[in-house]
Amino acid sequence: MTLRPYYIFSSGRIMRRENTIYVENEKGEKKALPIEEVESLHIFGEVEMNTKFLNFLSQHGKPIHFYNYYGFYSGSFVPRSKNISGELLVKQVEYYLDNEKRLYLAKAFVEGATFHMLRNLRNYDGTEEFVRIISEEQAKSFEAKTVPELMGCEGRAREAYYQAFNTITSGRLAMNKREKRPPKDPINALISFGNSVMYSVVLSEIYKTELNPTISYLHEPRERRFSLSLDISEIFKPLIVDPIIFKLINNSMLKEEDFEDELDFCYLTSSGKKKFLKEFEEKLETTIKHRKLKRSVSYRTLIRLECYKLIRHLLQDEFYKPLKAWW
Amino acid sequence: MKINYLYVCERKLWLFDRGIQLEENSEKVLLGKLLSEYSYPSETRREVLIDDLIKIDVMGEEEIREIKYSNSLASANRIQILYYLYYLKMLGIERKGIINYPKMRRMEEVSLTPEAEREVEQAIKRVEEVLSSPRPPEVKRKSYCPKCAYYEFCFG
């Protein structure tokens, strides 16, 4: 049986009855979600719930993530972790405090990110100049002596990368520059939403391991977020989120009603979010043949394997090398 | 103590000891749990936890019993029950051991001979050696690796 995340857009109530989750919309229509099939819940609507329901999720080890009206991640309820390793936590901290050790991991995340950015651009004509800038910044990032310096390389690479989006999408839904808060055009809205969902999926995978999600290497743990999730997301955003954006735009799958413009602010409507999530879900379940495991694994599993690789690195078992899509 | 892991895989033993515990995700482990829950329903003293250290599947008047899915890792099953017998003996309790394989309709009797005692002592010493290492033992690919809950951890 495959577990999958459930995305809930309707407003109303969500509750436990016996051993099943029921989602009840405003019209009083109920839909059952068998807990055995739920990997995680993502709530986009306005939903009421009680502690009995949360305890039920906790019992079964299922996280629930919440997003605000605009689709931005606002927080999670995650069951008490059963996966605790004091030894690993100590190592995680050690590798943060030691500048050299931290830099090694931070560079690896940037390397994975830029590799996948370049891999995306490779498929499109007219992106040579952007490829050149990203490759240059990638080369510089290997030489960086400090994390801020590295962040600078990563930032410039990403800026060039996002500029290439207009070329890739032939100017449909053009974007001026990457703007996060708030996103000002459809492409920015898609990127922000996609990154938001990516972040929570990575967090779900981290929670299945003994890693502590607050201790990170590229991002500062001070960001008051589960910043390890941000670190690992870097590798997967260009691999998973961005190709979906290109597909949605280039195949004209998005319509006017999928976006809403407010004064100086553009965001995805429910229909837009649903279109994105459908593709996102399909992508996560796509499998590839893993060369070392000699079995098929999904993109979602690749995220967890990345966590395992990090654990192996921290336990001095095997040097961490970021995922580089080989297919 | 997961003394049986010593005979299965030293790396698994080390990782388990450090809190890297992946059995929760394993269907095989779940099947094993269900099997020991549903087998021998007339027995009353089940899953007896002693000193927060060893958990005995069935505690009888004269014997202790372990319920196992298969005997494919027979030597690991054997050392586990021997260790329990050894531990109980230290507490002044003498029993004999039985490993039940309900799926195979087979059982194996195990008793704590002086020879077996030495085997347990050696195993305990070896466990301590493995666990004293600051790093996990290297991956060694075995035929049963793909069935292990740690497979993706080791090879992914």
Side-chain angles (χ1 to χ4, degrees):
Chain A
M1 182 171 3
T2 52
L3 298 172
R4 69 176 194 86
Y6 282 84
Y7 301 98
I8 294 161
F9 283 92
S10 56
S11 292
R13 283 207 314 149
I14 184 164
M15 69 203 106
R16 168 194 186 162
R17 184 150 304 157
E18 316 251 283
N19 282 325
T20 304
I21 299 169
Y22 283 95
V23 184
E24 185 184 312
N25 67 16
E26 284 154 321
K27 291 175 204 145
E29 293 160 348
K30 274 188 208 159
K31 201 184 153 220
L33 311 178
I35 187 83
E36 293 81 10
E37 289 172 20
V38 174
E39 189 265 343
S40 57
L41 292 171
H42 297 250
I43 310 288
F44 292 92
E46 247 180 67
V47 169
E48 282 176 31
M49 61 188 67
N50 58 22
T51 49
K52 187 173 135 194
F53 170 73
L54 292 176
N55 286 330
F56 180 57
L57 290 183
S58 196
Q59 248 174 36
H60 289 268
K62 314 290 184 188
I64 179 166
H65 304 289
F66 301 95
Y67 302 81
N68 70 11
Y69 180 71
Y70 301 106
F72 294 126
Y73 176 75
S74 52
S76 306
F77 169 76
V78 181
R80 180 180 66 89
S81 178
K82 285 183 225 143
N83 308 326
I84 295 170
S85 168
E87 173 129 346
L88 187 64
L89 177 61
V90 170
K91 293 281 185 197
Q92 254 188 281
V93 176
E94 180 193 329
Y95 277 68
Y96 169 75
L97 293 173
D98 182 316
N99 191 51
E100 210 174 300
K101 288 178 176 164
R102 176 179 174 190
L103 205 53
Y104 176 87
L105 286 171
K107 280 181 185 179
F109 295 134
V110 172
E111 188 188 352
T114 47
F115 177 89
H116 289 131
M117 289 182 207
L118 291 168
R119 183 174 179 269
N120 281 342
L121 300 193
R122 205 172 61 188
N123 302 326
Y124 297 94
D125 293 331
T127 57
E128 297 76 12
E129 179 59 12
F130 306 115
V131 167
R132 190 187 58 78
I133 298 172
I134 298 168
S135 308
E136 241 175 64
E137 293 300 336
Q138 187 183 47
K140 270 194 255 169
S141 75
F142 293 133
E143 306 301 323
K145 296 278 183 293
T146 64
V147 173
E149 200 185 318
L150 180 67
M151 280 295 243
C153 300
E154 195 263 347
R156 287 186 296 275
R158 191 168 292 278
E159 204 183 299
Y161 174 66
Y162 282 133
Q163 272 176 22
F165 276 36
N166 281 336
T167 309
I168 293 172
T169 57
S170 321
R172 301 180 189 101
L173 309 176
M175 149 167 89
N176 275 327
K177 63 178 176 61
R178 172 75 181 123
E179 276 162 312
K180 291 183 198 167
R181 296 186 197 107
K184 292 188 176 164
D185 53 64
I187 295 190
N188 270 305
L190 280 163
I191 297 171
S192 290
F193 180 69
N195 291 351
S196 232
V197 196
M198 191 71 241
Y199 172 85
S200 67
V201 168
V202 171
L203 184 59
S204 287
E205 293 306 310
I206 291 175
Y207 269 117
K208 292 176 191 167
T209 75
E210 287 74 18
L211 287 168
N212 182 305
T214 62
I215 300 166
S216 55
Y217 303 95
L218 177 60
H219 294 82
E220 283 295 340
R222 284 194 288 275
E223 295 194 29
R224 280 175 293 173
R225 289 222 259 168
F226 293 122
S227 42
L228 185 61
S229 192
L230 295 173
D231 279 8
I232 296 174
S233 292
E234 291 299 335
I235 299 169
F236 290 95
K237 282 181 329 196
L239 182 67
I240 295 178
V241 174
D242 302 340
I244 297 174
I245 296 175
F246 305 152
K247 181 179 174 188
L248 287 172
I249 298 177
N250 287 344
N251 296 347
S252 306
M253 294 162 78
L254 292 168
K255 300 200 175 64
E256 218 172 282
E257 73 250 24
D258 296 323
F259 297 96
E260 199 150 349
D261 282 304
E262 269 178 20
L263 192 65
D264 221 19
F265 183 7
C266 176
Y267 59 90
L268 284 164
T269 60
S270 292
S271 64
K273 286 175 201 152
K274 281 177 187 167
K275 282 180 190 171
F276 182 92
L277 289 171
K278 183 172 172 285
E279 297 296 321
F280 186 70
E281 205 37 51
E282 260 171 43
K283 191 79 158 182
L284 283 178
E285 296 317 316
T286 306
T287 58
I288 50 123
K289 179 96 176 170
H290 194 284
R291 292 177 297 187
K292 237 170 117 200
L293 288 173
K294 297 189 172 74
R295 61 170 70 145
S296 289
V297 297
S298 65
Y299 275 56
R300 184 196 302 285
T301 304
L302 286 175
I303 302 171
R304 190 156 77 252
L305 296 184
E306 214 56 19
C307 297
Y308 289 160
K309 275 154 60 180
L310 188 55
I311 295 175
R312 296 207 297 267
H313 180 85
L314 297 168
L315 295 177
Q316 285 170 281
D317 183 36
E318 189 186 318
F319 278 110
Y320 176 75
K321 294 264 192 307
L323 171 73
K324 290 182 182 174
W326 60 81
W327 53 95
Chain B
M1 182 168 66
K2 286 282 180 185
I3 199 164
N4 50 326
Y5 283 1
L6 182 72
Y7 287 36
V8 179
C9 172
E10 293 188 355
R11 181 177 165 88
K12 185 171 179 170
L13 175 72
W14 192 97
L15 290 168
F16 184 88
D17 178 68
R18 298 308 205 270
I20 310 295
Q21 305 188 350
L22 298 169
E23 285 81 352
E24 286 259 340
N25 316 327
S26 162
E27 227 164 85
K28 284 205 169 310
V29 174
L30 184 67
L31 285 174
K33 263 189 194 152
L34 289 174
L35 181 74
S36 68
E37 246 174 67
Y38 292 111
S39 308
Y40 313 105
S42 60
E43 294 290 344
T44 48
R45 298 182 68 198
R46 310 168 68 97
E47 299 223 336
V48 181
L49 185 66
I50 295 172
D51 292 350
D52 246 347
L53 195 74
I54 60 174
K55 189 152 83 186
I56 294 168
D57 282 352
V58 176
M59 188 87 176
E61 290 297 322
E62 280 158 24
E63 84 292 335
I64 61 170
R65 280 198 273 156
E66 268 297 296
I67 301 162
K68 294 286 182 190
Y69 213 82
S70 89
N71 67 348
S72 60
L73 295 166
S75 66
N77 298 342
R78 188 172 154 273
I79 196 72
Q80 186 188 344
I81 199 160
L82 279 176
Y83 172 65
Y84 292 171
L85 293 171
Y86 180 85
Y87 193 88
L88 289 175
K89 193 180 168 190
M90 298 287 132
L91 300 174
I93 303 166
E94 300 239 11
R95 289 280 192 285
K96 63 178 183 172
I98 295 174
I99 308 173
N100 284 118
Y101 297 105
K103 296 282 285 181
M104 307 167 70
R105 299 178 185 282
R106 277 180 59 176
M107 59 174 267
E108 189 187 329
E109 274 196 33
V110 181
S111 52
L112 194 65
T113 59
E115 209 179 28
E117 259 180 66
R118 273 197 300 280
E119 200 183 328
V120 174
E121 279 160 5
Q122 269 169 16
I124 293 171
K125 225 172 108 198
R126 182 65 197 142
V127 167
E128 280 161 5
E129 276 167 23
V130 171
L131 298 186
S132 68
S133 162
R135 292 168 55 176
E138 271 176 40
V139 175
K140 282 189 194 131
R141 201 184 263 271
K142 300 182 176 79
S143 61
Y144 46 82
C145 280
K147 290 182 194 162
C148 175
Y150 289 71
Y151 180 62
E152 289 184 343
F153 180 88
C154 290
F155 296 95

